[in-house]
Amino acid sequence: MKKTLILVKLGGSLITDKNKAFTAKNDLILRLAKEIKSSLKNSKADLIIGHGSGSFGHIVAAKYQTQKGIINKDSILGFPLVADAARKINVIVMDSLLKVGLKVVSFSPFSFIYTKNEKEESSLIKPIKKALEIGLIPIIYGDVIMDQTKGFCIYSGEKILNHLAESLKDNYSTIKIIYCGQTNGVYDEKGKTIDKITPKSYGSIKKVLKGSAGVDVTGGMIHKVEEAIELVNRLNVESLIINAKRKNFLKYAILGKAVESTHIAR
């Protein structure tokens, strides 16, 4: 029988202070690692964890406009600086996950995804599939990757999870994505959580969405919801947007228990 795959995205604004360069929320990251470990005691699902770069990658990328590719003489310098910044927050996240005993292994998107005009041209995910098969938890993160047209581009954690959901859809009976941020889901114009967003309702909801509160070169909440809507349309993959600052919300979401959130589905 095919299993369930759960993709967890730890938002950059959640795990870092996006207004202070290179500032990770170490205590919060460790608590989330413990929640993930606890949830797996009662879940038979396979798990992939992704995370954003927050004040590590985004602030450096904004300085060099790395998301635009090669645009001036400083662009080439920006590429390795952004890549190094993304790696640094990945090391911090990995340290916490390993500390609680999770069998995690990090995959840099730079090493397995190649794009053309920011659209996937080719990828190599066999190592990720093998990692899942033998009981490992792949960790991916927003990264700067090579692009045939622009030279390079930034590929967000959301885009990478979408790519993995597409690539792994035949291996699982169900795929679910949990987006972890610091809001109780998507808010309406009155500041109340929108319980559910569908492809049909998104058009009327889009006008009330706002981008990230900090520096974010990948589009904040709007980008997150648009990627989730695309997944529903193409693969019928459902998503939850939760407030992972609230204790045990991530644990309960992995276990399929109800938590205040925005559910994105048909």
Side-chain angles (χ1 to χ4, degrees):
M1 178 180 292
K2 290 186 178 180
K3 300 170 66 176
T4 294
L5 174 65
I6 298 176
L7 307 170
V8 174
K9 165 70 191 314
L10 307 176
S13 60
L14 173 71
I15 61 174
T16 75
D17 183 337
K18 292 189 75 172
N19 295 305
K20 295 180 181 178
F22 297 93
T23 305
K25 299 177 183 175
N26 295 289
D27 291 343
L28 177 61
I29 295 170
L30 183 59
R31 174 174 65 76
L32 294 173
K34 291 177 179 177
E35 288 188 25
I36 293 169
K37 178 64 180 291
S38 178
S39 71
L40 293 182
K41 294 177 182 177
N42 297 298
S43 173
K44 295 182 178 180
D46 282 349
L47 189 67
I48 295 176
I49 301 171
H51 66 82
S53 292
S55 66
F56 286 71
H58 286 284
I59 289 178
V60 181
K63 177 180 178 180
Y64 290 95
Q65 296 294 290
T66 307
Q67 71 275 18
K68 296 180 181 179
I70 301 174
I71 58 173
N72 57 45
K73 62 183 178 62
D74 294 324
S75 297
I76 300 300
L77 174 60
F79 180 96
L81 291 177
V82 173
D84 185 59
R87 181 192 60 80
K88 285 176 178 175
I89 182 61
N90 179 247
V91 169
I92 292 171
V93 172
M94 285 290 294
D95 282 348
S96 289
L97 295 169
L98 288 168
K99 186 178 292 184
V100 302
L102 288 166
K103 299 179 181 69
V104 293
V105 60
S106 178
F107 289 88
S108 164
F110 172 76
S111 67
F112 69 88
I113 297 178
Y114 183 70
T115 58
K116 181 178 181 180
N117 282 323
E118 300 186 39
K119 302 294 184 182
E120 179 202 332
E121 179 77 7
S122 61
S123 66
L124 176 65
I125 67 158
K126 284 185 178 180
I128 293 178
K129 286 184 177 180
K130 189 62 178 179
L132 290 165
E133 287 175 10
I134 65 175
L136 293 170
I137 300 174
I139 309 298
I140 58 92
Y141 54 95
D143 200 4
V144 58
I145 65 173
M146 292 298 187
D147 184 275
Q148 183 174 327
T149 303
K150 300 171 64 175
F152 48 78
C153 67
I154 290 177
Y155 221 59
S156 70
E158 286 85 2
K159 284 187 176 182
I160 297 162
L161 290 180
N162 274 19
H163 170 66
L164 292 177
E166 172 75 40
S167 301
L168 297 168
K169 64 181 185 299
D170 294 333
N171 297 79
Y172 294 92
S173 58
T174 305
I175 298 178
K176 178 172 72 172
I177 297 186
I178 302 171
Y179 294 107
C180 301
Q182 49 187 353
T183 67
N184 298 323
V186 181
Y187 295 152
D188 64 16
E189 63 273 16
K190 296 181 180 179
K192 294 183 178 181
T193 299
I194 300 171
D195 293 330
K196 186 173 182 179
I197 299 175
T198 69
K200 288 184 178 180
S201 68
Y202 178 58
S204 61
I205 290 170
K206 184 176 181 178
K207 63 177 181 289
V208 306
L209 296 182
K210 296 181 179 179
S212 175
V215 177
D216 191 336
V217 296
T218 57
M221 183 64 81
I222 292 175
H223 174 68
K224 188 181 284 88
V225 175
E226 286 180 342
E227 292 295 326
I229 290 292
E230 181 183 348
L231 271 182
V232 173
N233 282 328
R234 287 194 297 111
L235 306 176
N236 200 28
V237 170
E238 299 186 2
S239 301
L240 283 180
I241 299 176
I242 68 168
N243 184 352
K245 290 176 65 177
R246 299 175 69 172
K247 289 186 178 181
N248 291 319
F249 265 40
L250 175 54
K251 173 183 175 180
Y252 294 151
I254 292 173
L255 292 173
K257 297 182 179 180
V259 296
E260 184 176 7
S261 62
T262 295
H263 181 206
I264 301 175
R266 291 197 184 281

